[in-house]
């Protein structure tokens, strides 16, 4: 059903984003749980901060890739 490479890449990215958004949500909730249960322990707080930062960076990369792919697809379809 896919005629071009861009359609295949779009389908792959769409599937990836639809799978990873719930994973990102769960990881954010879990890192917040780690913050709450740290109880002032500096090591646990540092681990929670690192996890939250990693999740936010990963989410930004995933959503950035999605936006970039959409921009490229729109540019290519506009040229053709």
């Amino acid at each position: 059903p896919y005629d071009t490479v861009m359609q295949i890449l779009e389908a792959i990215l769409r599937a990836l984003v639809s799978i990873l958004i719930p994973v990102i949500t769960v990881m954010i909730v879990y890192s917040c749980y780690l913050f709450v249960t740290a109880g002032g322990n500096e090591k646990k707080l540092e681990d929670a901060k690192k996890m939250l930062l990693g999740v936010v960076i990963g989410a930004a990369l995933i959503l950035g890739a999605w936006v970039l792919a959409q921009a490229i697809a729109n540019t290519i379809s506009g040229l053709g």
Side-chain angles (χ1 to χ4, degrees):
Y2 302 112
D3 296 329
T4 65
V5 174
M6 288 305 295
Q7 289 177 339
I8 294 170
L9 290 176
E10 183 180 353
I12 291 170
L13 276 175
R14 182 173 288 135
L16 187 66
V17 168
S18 67
I19 291 169
L20 290 177
I21 292 294
V23 172
I24 290 169
T25 304
V26 168
M27 293 305 293
I28 288 173
V29 169
Y30 181 67
S31 64
C32 291
Y33 170 78
L34 292 178
F35 269 110
V36 171
T37 59
N41 185 336
E42 291 296 323
K43 172 71 171 123
K44 288 183 179 181
L45 283 173
E46 189 63 33
D47 290 343
K49 287 179 189 177
K50 286 180 183 178
M51 178 180 281
L52 184 59
L53 181 63
V55 170
V56 169
I57 290 172
L61 289 173
I62 291 165
L63 295 177
W66 174 254
V67 168
L68 183 63
Q70 290 298 314
I72 291 171
N74 289 337
T75 302
I76 290 174
S77 67
L79 295 174

